[in-house]
Amino acid sequence: MRSKTFENLAPEKQERVLDTAVEEFAQHGFHQASVNRMVKQLGIAKGSLFKYFGSKEGLFQHVFEHAVDLFKGPLKAARNAEGDTFDRLRLSLMAGLEFVQQHPRLYRIYLKVLFQENVPFREPFLQQVRGYSAKFLRPLLEDGMRRGELRADLDLDMAVFLIDGLFDRLLQSLTVPEVHPALHGLSQGDARQRIDQLMDFIRRALAANNGEQHA
Amino acid sequence: MRSKTFENLAPEKQERVLDTAVEEFAQHGFHQASVNRMVKQLGIAKGSLFKYFGSKEGLFQHVFEHAVDLFKGPLKAARNAEGDTFDRLRLSLMAGLEFVQQHPRLYRIYLKVLFQENVPFREPFLQQVRGYSAKFLRPLLEDGMRRGELRADLDLDMAVFLIDGLFDRLLQSLTVPEVHPALHGLSQGDARQRIDQLMDFIRRALAANNGEQHA
DNA sequence: TTCTATGGTGACCAGGTGGTCACTCTAGAA
DNA sequence: TTCTAGAGTGACCACCTGGTCACCATAGAA
């Protein structure tokens, strides 16, 4: 529980606390993160942090709510975009790219939570983040089928799996060097080129007319 | 360092120790795994375990070497397979599926290591496992291009990324419920159907003739 | 019957953990 | 000039961690 005390703090102090917590959780995950280390880094007493958030879990929850808030923004912009299905898919991937580039630490926290059991708030946290494919990707693809831009025999579950998986994997590769070393640390321009190549794959796999309308 | 003492033990005891360690590391990852818990589960004294492996790291290394050994087997079988490029890709995915179904805990350890920094032996461990795409996938695709089964304008890096990513993601979905809930806990038959659908996607995206030779 | 080599033991250690709480300090109200 | 509300403090707590080591048990050699 975030107490009133924390909200009364000067905004810049709130930010400093949040920033330090994000850094610590991104580096070490929930269990290995150390409250002592954070407090030392911040130069405040341990008691203060516990007055603010009640517990380590409370602090983590605050970080998590902050992350979900930041994540909602780019998503809305992509949802209302114009263009055909593939243009809109591309835009949503670009939105993901931008989020990961601006908040790499939050994305790293997400990945750690995903593959680590016993993390508090894991289920609700993942459910909210994954609302992405449920509330956004799927309707977009359904719409694409209605418009005849996608193959009529497409299995929707698998199409969602394909796109969601490839998008996530691309962002992972850009964030975690070991996932796919060749794709790590690309420049802005190179990253865009990779996105174009990826969209070309997806078009060939899903489009109604073998994806050759762009020749 | 695994000491001579451990190798002198009765094989069934060695197996029991290994099995317990695999379970603990799969559930909790390296840092959260507890030597005390393992020792309690095994019903032996803590000192014994340290006589065998010297340290928690030593025990982890033993588990890791065991995992790499098991992983090498199915890979060799897939490498020498007959058929066209897509048949061989399919076989290698089937090999991966079989490995994950027989050793889900080892795959969970791999995923935890991949997304957790500060784990001992992380780099050499991942390097060995990822030799998969370097030494197997890439030559297979190069061969496919020489044979003219793949589009001539294909970017090899991206093709490797695509296949590696989709294969890994499918196995992840089958292992970790939260990755893609719709694909978790499938029966043997359903899993094969998903593999066929996935291969269809890949064929459409990569094949020289728009992947329609199977009509 | 000694001696020795080897597996097995668990109380003990230093150090880190999340969490507590009686206390101080200070700005502003009365 | 008092009084008070609330931010800030850090020594302290119980607990858990990986790791140690003096000691014990026993099988087989001498």
Side-chain angles (χ1 to χ4, degrees), chain B residues 5 8 13 51-52:
Chain B
T5 303
N8 290 343
K13 181 162 184 179
K51 275 240 171 84
Y52 302 159

Side-chain angles (χ1 to χ4, degrees), chain B residues 21-41:
Chain B
V22 166
E23 178 68 29
E24 179 74 14
F25 284 125
Q27 267 190 38
H28 301 98
F30 177 76
H31 291 289
Q32 278 292 109
S34 159
V35 175
N36 289 334
R37 226 162 16 212
M38 295 188 226
V39 153
K40 199 171 175 182
Q41 167 76 24

Side-chain angles (χ1 to χ4, degrees), chain A residues 27-44:
Chain A
Q27 267 190 38
H28 301 97
F30 177 76
H31 291 289
Q32 278 291 110
S34 160
V35 175
N36 288 334
R37 236 176 353 228
M38 296 189 226
V39 153
K40 200 171 174 182
Q41 167 76 24
L42 282 166
I44 65 174

